[in-house]
Amino acid sequence: MTQALIVVDVQNDFCPGGALAVPGGDEVVAPINAMMTQFETVILTQDWHPAGHSSFASSHPGKAPFETVEMAYGTQVLWPDHCVQGSDGAAFREGLRTDGDLILRKGFRTGIDSYSGFFENDQTTPTGLEGYLRSRGITRLTLAGLATDFCVAFTALDAARLGFTVTVDLAACRAIDLDGSLAASLSLMKDAGIALQS
Ligand code: VGL
Ligand code: ZN
């Protein structure tokens, strides 16, 4: 058993009606539930921010959502408040199977965001996911979820860089697509040798 499915951030706030709604975000639930039956190991990630998180525009006076700021670790997009720990918005989307082996929370430090399931946005602070996968002998990963161009892409790119064989199932992903971010992320993933499946 060397394969795992990583289900990225299928949470209410990324679905229609949520604080950072991804168009069609809820449409990934059915295909992901079906995919889960094909994998012995399923990991779900959960965006999990404290109130007042530094990725929230509301934490930066004069800034609006989708503007950027320079943080010590680089440029950070500012988002509407979303996925606040314990809120309904942070909960997994109703109907999503959550009986996976591991639920990995990320973005829980106030001063740093974490799009990737592997590293925070400084690209050096590990979440521990790499060790979890390696110690279980997993070498091949399939990714699905939200959003294609942020948390899915960052997770996939880190996984490829770490030497995992990575497939992203685009039919079970939806994108935010901010200023061409979808096309940019697809091209980065292709260049990294990630299989894009639809
Ligand atoms: C995400 C923006 C902010 C994502 C999370 O799951 O793609 N995007 N936080
Ligand atoms: Zn977030």
Side-chain angles (χ1 to χ4, degrees), residues 9 11 14 20 47-49 53 55-56 76 79-83 106-107 113-115 151:
D9 297 5
Q11 295 167 256
F14 299 122
L20 178 39
D47 212 38
W48 193 251
H49 301 307
H53 191 253
S55 75
F56 298 168
Q76 170 72 48
W79 305 105
D81 290 24
H82 66 279
C83 295
K106 61 185 180 61
D113 205 1
S114 188
Y115 294 148
C151 291

